[in-house]
Every structure is written in C-alpha cells, then in structure tokens.
Amino acid sequence: MDTYANDLATHCSGGGEVARYIRRFGTRHIVQIALVAAISPMMLKTYSNPEDQPIEVFHTMRAAVAAA
C-alpha cells in the first residue's frame, strides 16, 4: 500500500485512477467522490482505444451536469 501511495504522490494521477476504478467496477462501494483538477484516463472510444465509450456518452454526461 505504501508503494501505491508513493506512486500517487509522485505522479499525481489519483483522480485518473479513481475514474478508471469507477469505470471498471461501478459505484456500489462509493458514496461520493470529487475529482478536482484531476487527470482522467482516456475513456473515449477511438481507433486506438476501441473498447471505451462513444462520444455520445460524454454528451449525455455534459447535458446532465448542465441541467443540475
């Protein structure tokens, strides 16, 4: 665990790791999160990243945030 903590402190990628965790495992064990100035992982479906989400998913998220 210390190695993980050291990696987070050194590379400052904790937000990306949290976002990827949620993408892979869902939010069943999470009550609330906040990603503040986080570097999120590449989650957009592209030619080189074919297994991720189409752009329409992100348009839906943006619309939901704007409506809140």
Side-chain angles (χ1 to χ4, degrees), residues 16 27 29 39 42 59 63 66:
T27 58
H29 298 290
I39 299 170
M42 176 63 163
H59 291 324

Side-chain angles (χ1 to χ4, degrees), residues 20 23-24 40-55 58:
R20 182 56 82 180
R23 161 120 174 18
R24 290 186 68 194
S40 58
M42 176 63 163
M43 296 187 303
L44 179 63
K45 184 175 187 174
T46 63
Y47 178 77
S48 61
N49 194 30
E51 296 181 15
D52 264 308
Q53 305 300 312
I55 191 67
F58 299 99

